[in-house]
Amino acid sequence: MTDQIKLCERNGMRMEEMLIHFINQIANPVLLVNETGEIVVTNKSAEKIIQLCSMPDQLKVNHIDPLFSNNMLGTSKFHNRTLIIKNISFSVNVYKLNISNNDLAFLYIFDQTSMTSSVLDEVIENISEKVAIYDGNGVFLKGNKEVEKLVGRKLDSYVGQKVQSVINKLGIYNAVTPEAIKQKKMVEQKVAFSNGTVIHCKTTPIFNSGNELIKVIEAAKDVTDIVNLREELREVEIVKNEYLKKLNKLQKMNHTKKIIFASTQIEDVLYLASRVANTDSSVFITGESGVGKEEIAKYIHQNSMRSEMPFVAINCAAIPSELLESELFGYEEGAFSGAKKGGKKGLFEIANSGTIFLDEIGELPLKMQGKLLRVIQENNIKRLGGNDLIPIDIRYICATNLTKSQLKNEKFFRQDLYYRLSIVPICVPPLKDRKDDILPLINHFLTQFNQKYNRKVKINSEAMIKLYNYPWPGNVRELKNVVERIVILAKKNEIETKDLEIILHLEDQFKLENTNTEIQVNELMPLAKAYRIVDQQLISRAIFEHGTIVNAAKALNVNPSTIHRKLKRDRADIEE
């Protein structure tokens, strides 16, 4: 346009004449407006626009609000503005001109942009996305039928209104268009309506060649179903987590049910165990062999913060002393002849982050007790043949059938180790001191072994009384074995007293446990069988009286490995 003005000046035309000449030459609708807002000159195309204007928003016949021009331009000499006339969007370029005598004039050049062309209108109306268009000042220009479906009303009445007014009337939360106009950049987020509908909205600003904001296009998809589904999934996840917590709690409680009891003595033991379970304190469980010390240890672990971590039970009496260190702490490759390639993790490494249960800890040699104390104090181990210290985090639960006097004797147990491990001592009483547990245990094991061996064996009341009065020197372990033997060997489904005497010889065992007489022979039997019975009875009594296999072996004048072998043989006989 500037080049055209210079050309006219060279031809001797005045400014007014030049403007009229330009206006008539331009195909687009053009208006020349003075400072008061009066339309001075129009071309033919502009006359058609004026005819469309019965009462347009900011354009009146032969007059334009002067504030419109001044407010729009300010100190600038050019501005682009969108006008809506009869629902037709026009992009208007407004130029501020200095006429003679420093009079101001405003040149309006109209352009029906391609964005409002019939082709684009057709596209906008037929796409699945919801599209709304605002001008650079946030005035609503157009919305397609998908937007009308969304809001449930026609949009004609909103055309020409400011964006905030549209937002308020439609009940929109988190609207993005005002932010896009403010920041002059694309904004994308979820937008909610008061009726519960949620859309994913992306607002894109459009700029002219002068980098001025001229349009804001808002495109959106209805994501209500997705949001609702996510919310439902979130709720399901919450419910699932609640159920998992309940299930975990039930699983922990389930182990309590496995500890069959009716006595107040075991109730007290479990109460103490539950109190200590939520701590990391070391627990030292004492009690005769077979009273269920390991079950109490498992109960503590499963009700602790480490319940999801490993529970490693180690029978210290069952591991040969020369293999103890490698079994407990592991070894490196080549540590000794026959060492596994690549080395091997020890039981302490396997138990890391969990609980380690050291059963029969009184059987550990004193030298090994010293190494164990060091591990507990320093919280690290060193593999056999290795130099690296491996950090461990373990909760210790120990058990022994040593008496208090034996535990306080340095010959049996290191006192520093004992005091380190016995932060919370728990004593499990023998079965003879909690007779209320005998009948519930018998019924429990009857059900268990009847299912295992597909039997329907019952014990009548007289036989039950016999079992109830038996002292059970082997405690729960012996009772369990006795019931299993009854189920396996019973010739009929109902067991009477005489059947017990035939199957179990409980009367003879009772006499043996309560007399110091020499062995008596009441019937003839093969010598091998007699030897076996004597072995069992003597070993059982020796362990009962002396507390440990090592001490029992000394009393019987045999090697501890002999007792281990015989006990293993007897267990194998029962399992067959």
Side-chain angles (χ1 to χ4, degrees):
M1 180 174 175
T2 304
D3 292 339
Q4 291 175 322
I5 292 174
K6 288 180 179 179
L7 178 63
C8 290
E9 287 176 339
R10 284 197 296 269
N11 292 331
M13 298 177 67
R14 291 187 304 110
M15 176 64 75
E16 293 85 345
E17 294 174 341
M18 285 190 286
L19 285 173
I20 294 170
H21 177 74
F22 290 146
I23 289 170
N24 289 324
Q25 294 297 317
I26 297 174
N28 286 34
V30 179
L31 302 175
L32 182 64
V33 181
N34 63 20
E35 285 185 277
T36 63
E38 182 182 358
I39 298 174
V40 180
V41 179
T42 63
N43 63 5
K44 291 182 179 180
S45 299
E47 289 174 2
K48 293 179 181 179
I49 290 178
I50 292 173
Q51 290 172 5
L52 287 173
C53 302
S54 56
M55 188 62 72
D57 204 2
Q58 291 168 307
L59 177 64
K60 298 179 181 178
V61 177
N62 294 329
H63 188 271
I64 290 179
D65 184 353
L67 293 176
F68 169 55
S69 302
N70 289 326
N71 289 345
M72 192 168 57
L73 288 171
T75 59
S76 175
K77 291 187 176 183
F78 170 80
H79 188 75
N80 179 276
R81 177 65 186 265
T82 299
L83 288 179
I84 307 296
I85 303 175
K86 290 293 185 179
N87 293 330
I88 299 175
S89 174
F90 290 92
S91 176
V92 183
N93 291 324
V94 183
Y95 298 88
K96 183 188 290 186
L97 304 175
N98 287 315
I99 311 299
S100 58
N101 298 322
N102 292 322
D103 292 334
L104 288 177
F106 300 94
L107 190 66
Y108 286 71
I109 302 177
F110 288 72
D111 179 28
Q112 185 175 356
T113 65
S114 59
M115 296 183 66
T116 57
S117 67
S118 59
V119 175
L120 189 56
D121 282 349
E122 186 72 18
V123 172
I124 292 173
E125 285 299 329
N126 288 282
I127 62 174
S128 59
E129 285 190 326
K130 296 149 184 56
V131 178
I133 303 173
Y134 295 84
D135 71 10
N137 293 308
V139 175
F140 182 72
L141 305 179
K142 181 178 179 61
N144 66 359
K145 61 185 179 181
E146 291 298 322
V147 177
E148 292 182 341
K149 286 181 185 178
L150 174 67
V151 299
R153 65 191 78 174
K154 292 288 185 180
L155 297 174
D156 295 347
S157 61
Y158 295 98
V159 174
Q161 294 187 23
K162 283 283 190 177
V163 60
Q164 195 58 51
S165 175
V166 175
I167 289 169
N168 294 339
K169 290 178 180 178
L170 295 180
I172 301 173
Y173 304 102
N174 303 324
V176 291
T177 299
E179 198 64 27
I181 294 172
K182 179 181 178 181
Q183 298 186 22
K184 294 186 178 182
K185 67 178 184 180
M186 185 187 76
V187 179
E188 185 174 6
Q189 66 184 39
K190 289 184 180 63
V191 175
F193 287 75
S194 56
N195 62 4
T197 302
V198 180
I199 60 174
H200 183 83
C201 190
K202 181 178 180 179
T203 301
T204 305
I206 305 297
F207 300 90
N208 62 15
S209 58
N211 201 33
E212 293 180 302
L213 182 66
I214 58 173
K215 293 273 190 307
V216 178
I217 301 175
E218 189 178 282
K221 287 183 179 180
D222 191 340
V223 292
T224 306
D225 291 340
I226 296 173
V227 171
N228 289 342
L229 181 59
R230 284 178 180 170
E231 187 61 32
E232 288 174 12
L233 287 174
R234 193 177 294 111
E235 290 175 3
V236 168
E237 187 71 16
I238 292 171
V239 173
K240 183 199 78 172
N241 289 335
E242 287 298 318
Y243 276 118
L244 284 176
K245 288 179 183 177
K246 290 179 181 178
L247 179 61
N248 191 37
K249 188 175 180 180
L250 287 172
Q251 286 174 338
K252 290 178 179 179
M253 291 174 63
N254 187 45
H255 188 73
T256 310
K257 293 177 183 177
K258 288 180 183 178
I259 302 176
I260 308 301
F261 70 97
S263 66
T264 57
Q265 292 94 327
I266 295 301
E267 185 179 359
D268 292 342
V269 167
L270 291 178
Y271 172 75
L272 185 58
S274 64
R275 289 291 301 274
V276 74
N278 290 323
T279 72
D280 260 347
S281 297
S282 299
V283 180
F284 204 99
I285 305 172
T286 57
E288 294 178 5
S289 180
V291 292
K293 297 187 289 293
E294 184 169 348
E295 291 302 306
I296 301 301
K298 288 179 181 176
Y299 173 82
I300 293 171
H301 170 74
Q302 292 180 1
N303 286 277
S304 73
M305 296 175 289
R306 300 174 183 261
S307 59
E308 303 300 320
M309 297 294 109
F311 175 85
V312 178
I314 302 171
N315 188 334
C316 300
I319 304 174
S321 57
E322 62 272 14
L323 297 179
L324 266 171
E325 187 170 357
S326 62
E327 287 295 313
L328 297 183
F329 308 137
Y331 58 82
E332 299 290 352
E333 182 177 346
F336 52 85
S337 178
K340 185 179 178 181
K341 186 177 180 181
K344 179 185 174 183
K345 279 186 177 182
L347 294 172
F348 274 61
E349 275 189 78
I350 295 171
N352 195 21
S353 299
T355 301
I356 202 161
F357 175 55
L358 297 168
D359 196 12
E360 303 292 354
I361 191 171
E363 300 292 337
L364 280 180
L366 290 174
K367 183 180 179 181
M368 194 65 201
Q369 290 181 23
K371 292 183 179 180
L372 176 60
L373 177 62
R374 187 178 184 85
V375 167
I376 294 171
Q377 289 176 336
E378 298 183 1
N379 293 317
N380 57 56
I381 59 171
K382 187 187 293 185
R383 288 185 181 180
L384 192 64
N387 296 315
D388 296 333
L389 291 175
I390 302 171
I392 55 172
D393 174 24
I394 291 175
R395 201 264 179 87
Y396 295 93
I397 303 178
C398 303
T400 183
N401 54 16
L402 292 177
T403 63
K404 284 186 178 179
S405 60
Q406 289 172 326
L407 284 171
K408 292 182 178 180
N409 188 333
E410 285 281 359
K411 293 181 180 179
F412 292 99
F413 207 80
R414 286 183 62 123
Q415 295 304 286
D416 46 6
L417 178 61
Y418 172 68
Y419 291 121
R420 182 64 182 80
L421 290 173
S422 62
I423 295 175
V424 180
I426 295 178
C427 180
V428 183
L431 195 53
K432 63 183 176 64
D433 291 341
R434 47 184 175 101
K435 295 180 77 68
D436 288 347
D437 294 336
I438 293 174
L439 297 185
L441 285 167
I442 291 172
N443 287 323
H444 169 72
F445 291 132
L446 262 181
T447 301
Q448 177 181 327
F449 293 120
N450 273 326
Q451 290 177 351
K452 180 177 180 179
Y453 299 112
N454 196 25
R455 299 293 306 272
K456 296 181 179 179
V457 176
K458 296 180 180 179
I459 301 174
N460 72 11
S461 57
E462 290 183 2
M464 276 289 197
I465 292 172
K466 185 77 172 178
L467 293 171
Y468 179 82
N469 289 323
Y470 180 67
W472 300 108
N475 292 294
V476 179
R477 184 184 295 120
E478 182 187 10
L479 186 146
K480 181 179 179 180
N481 291 342
V482 163
V483 175
E484 184 172 12
R485 203 180 317 162
I486 289 172
V487 173
I488 293 171
L489 300 179
K491 293 181 180 179
K492 54 185 181 180
N493 285 340
E494 185 169 337
I495 299 298
E496 301 174 4
T497 304
K498 61 181 180 180
D499 301 314
L500 289 180
E501 294 172 356
I502 295 171
I503 296 171
L504 306 172
H505 304 286
L506 289 183
E507 195 68 38
D508 292 340
Q509 292 182 43
F510 184 88
K511 287 178 181 176
L512 179 62
E513 292 296 340
N514 289 277
T515 63
N516 291 317
T517 59
E518 295 181 354
I519 296 172
Q520 296 180 356
V521 179
N522 297 318
E523 61 178 306
L524 292 177
M525 64 182 72
L527 284 174
K529 183 178 179 181
Y531 290 146
R532 180 72 66 87
I533 291 172
V534 171
D535 273 351
Q536 291 172 345
Q537 293 178 355
L538 287 175
I539 289 171
S540 176
R541 179 162 186 164
I543 292 174
F544 177 73
E545 289 186 1
H546 295 280
T548 69
I549 290 175
V550 172
N551 295 333
K554 289 178 182 177
L556 295 174
N557 197 23
V558 295
N559 193 290
S561 62
T562 302
I563 295 181
H564 279 298
R565 186 177 67 255
K566 290 181 181 292
L567 290 174
K568 186 177 181 181
R569 175 200 63 192
D570 293 339
R571 283 196 295 269
D573 289 345
I574 293 172
E575 292 171 358
E576 287 180 356

